[in-house]
Amino acid sequence: MSTPRVVTFGDNVVDCYVGRGEMYPGGNAVNVAAHLSRFGARAAYCGAVGDDPAGRHVRDSLRDAGVETTRLRMGGGPTAFCLIGHEEGDRVFLGADLGVSIIAPEAEDLSAIAQGDAVHTGRSSRIEPHLADLAERARLSYDFAVVRDADRIGRIAPLCFLASFSGGDLSDGEAEELARSAREAGADWVLVTLGGRGALLAGPGGMHRAEAVAADLVDTLGAGDTFIARVLFGLLTEEAPETLLRAAAREAAQTCSRYGGFGPAAPIAVDRSRAKSLSEIYSTETTVRA
């Protein structure tokens, strides 16, 4: 494949660094789209933000990154945000609000996805009832994040070209077992990122491993999204697993050397009184429906 086209769908936020008074565009689907564009893919983002300073910052940052935003809705409420602190360079989530970011795919979104080679979304987008519709139209990349529920993996993995997991808390043996189980459930490729220990990728040719690349650690936010984007790009362009894993490790290290998942900073412009704890946000995983 020459230049893959990838549509990302769903979650977005502005990541607000309270100690710095700055906000950056973010969210898994947004970050993956921006990095795919940087790696050479034709990337498009489908999602919803508020018609407010935060939403305009997300929109403008995507456009500046070369991401198509034809299917970006604006208005109807506030842009989602996440409040972030740091401990020794590692992120600490202080609170969040989902704003207008949780939406169901519309017919025009599905048409845009059908024109692509792949579509990426994830757990944070809360569109599980619609994943089969996405997978019918393009190869599905899905970020499970820290979800390890066997029933949920069993439902989603058969739809996946690439299933990704965050496994920094897992031993090597546990990570390998997770990758094997998702492959056995039906995913073509399974990526498990391991933080400072690198990542592993399971596919038709077996299990492949890459060590982490040393980074000038400033902020780990967005490193996993960078890794996913580079692995997906490499798979779509038919790179060897060892090659694309090494490249993904290098790119993730670069993301760790700056603040934010990508893009420029802007002054924080959200209503912090709307913030809820992450336990409240994830106490229910309500999914959108048609």
Side-chain angles (χ1 to χ4, degrees):
M1 184 180 298
S2 53
T3 302
R5 174 177 170 81
V6 184
V7 179
T8 72
F9 184 94
D11 70 305
N12 65 76
V13 295
V14 283
D15 290 314
C16 299
Y17 291 70
V18 295
R20 299 177 60 84
E22 296 176 338
M23 65 180 184
Y24 291 80
N28 174 255
V30 164
N31 289 338
V32 169
H35 287 295
L36 280 166
S37 179
R38 184 166 64 85
F39 300 145
R42 291 179 295 134
Y45 172 69
C46 299
V49 297
D51 189 6
D52 52 26
R56 290 189 287 274
H57 187 51
V58 172
R59 177 200 63 195
D60 294 347
S61 297
L62 282 167
R63 290 177 178 175
D64 289 346
V67 177
E68 178 189 311
T69 58
T70 305
R71 294 301 305 157
L72 175 63
R73 294 81 138 162
M74 297 192 70
T79 299
F81 67 85
C82 186
L83 303 178
I84 297 171
H86 281 86
E87 291 180 0
E88 298 181 353
D90 206 2
R91 67 190 179 210
V92 180
F93 294 114
L94 306 176
D97 179 63
L98 296 178
V100 296
S101 66
I102 305 303
I103 59 171
E106 298 176 351
E108 292 86 350
D109 300 321
L110 296 176
S111 294
I113 289 165
Q115 296 171 29
D117 300 295
V119 56
H120 174 83
T121 189
R123 173 247 191 135
S124 296
S125 298
R126 304 190 179 197
I127 61 163
E128 189 171 327
H130 302 277
L131 292 178
D133 292 332
L134 272 60
E136 285 177 4
R137 289 163 173 82
R139 283 173 282 193
L140 176 65
S141 167
Y142 186 84
D143 181 19
F144 284 88
V146 295
V147 171
R148 286 128 193 202
D149 176 72
D151 289 340
R152 196 162 173 184
I153 292 171
R155 290 193 304 271
I156 298 173
L159 303 172
C160 292
F161 172 67
L162 173 63
S164 300
F165 297 86
S166 177
D169 60 318
L170 301 177
S171 69
D172 287 355
E174 290 169 335
E176 291 174 3
E177 178 55 33
L178 176 61
R180 276 193 293 267
S181 65
R183 273 277 295 157
E184 290 170 358
D188 292 335
W189 295 90
V190 182
L191 170 68
V192 184
T193 57
L194 302 171
R197 297 177 3 251
L200 59 85
L201 180 68
M207 198 84 67
H208 309 273
R209 179 75 186 259
E211 298 300 322
V213 172
D216 182 11
L217 181 62
V218 172
D219 176 27
T220 58
L221 188 70
D225 299 339
T226 306
F227 216 111
I228 291 170
R230 186 60 182 84
V231 167
L232 179 58
F233 179 77
L235 291 175
L236 292 174
T237 55
E238 299 182 348
E239 290 181 331
E242 295 83 359
T243 300
L244 65 88
L245 278 174
R246 286 194 298 269
R250 289 193 299 271
E251 295 293 347
Q254 285 197 14
T255 297
C256 290
S257 69
R258 62 180 300 277
Y259 286 103
F262 83 100
I268 292 177
V270 301
D271 180 1
R272 300 188 203 186
S273 69
R274 296 179 58 88
K276 304 175 182 64
S277 69
L278 291 197
S279 60
E280 291 178 275
I281 293 287
Y282 287 110
S283 61
T284 60
E285 291 254 8
T286 303
T287 53
V288 296
R289 300 191 181 275

